[in-house]
Amino acid sequence: AAERLALRDRVVDMFEHTYDNYLHNALPHDELKPLSCSGRRPRGTPGEEQRGHLDDALGGYALTLVDAASTLAVLGDWRRFAHAVELVQRHVAFNHSATVSVFETNIRMLGGLLSAHAYAARYRGRLAERGVQYDCGYVDEHASDRGGGDVEFGQAAAARIVRCR
């Protein structure tokens, strides 16, 4: 049991180290480049190396922030989770054109937003204790007009990410 707890603590420490470094060195970009300790910027950004279509496929939507938010709730780190919710509200927008990977967008962006939303909606009181007001509807400039709930949130997020023809 002691070894299991030690391993758990080690995993938490590693997660916190990588998450904090992403916030410090890469936010609002999608990922942290581990060797340069800088954010992965969209393809075509002056001074950035080209990596084929990977940079475009990520979308430029702060994927690591969204991806990690629900992990913070699972770990019970409500201070960092509240901060992540604020950062998502501030930095994540779908107002630019990008060719994205449907796989990455579904598992990391849509999955991350939905799971973070589920935790935020369920634990609104813990967020409020930390000064974060969370509306259960989709958070954007029209959130107060829509109200909404889990289904409306998912539909609004999906409609803004994937445009079907």
Side-chain angles (χ1 to χ4, degrees), residues 5 13 20 25 47 55 65 82 86 98 112 114 117 157:
L5 293 176
D13 289 344
D20 291 344
N25 297 297
D55 297 320
L65 173 65
E86 287 180 313
L114 290 172
H117 167 70

Side-chain angles (χ1 to χ4, degrees), residues 102-117:
V102 174
F103 178 76
E104 291 289 332
T105 301
N106 280 323
I107 65 166
R108 294 184 70 189
M109 180 54 69
L110 190 55
L113 286 172
L114 290 172
S115 61
H117 167 70

Side-chain angles (χ1 to χ4, degrees), residues 7 19 25 32 39 57 60 91 109 150:
L7 289 172
Y19 179 73
N25 297 297
L32 174 67
H91 292 289
M109 180 54 69
D150 291 341

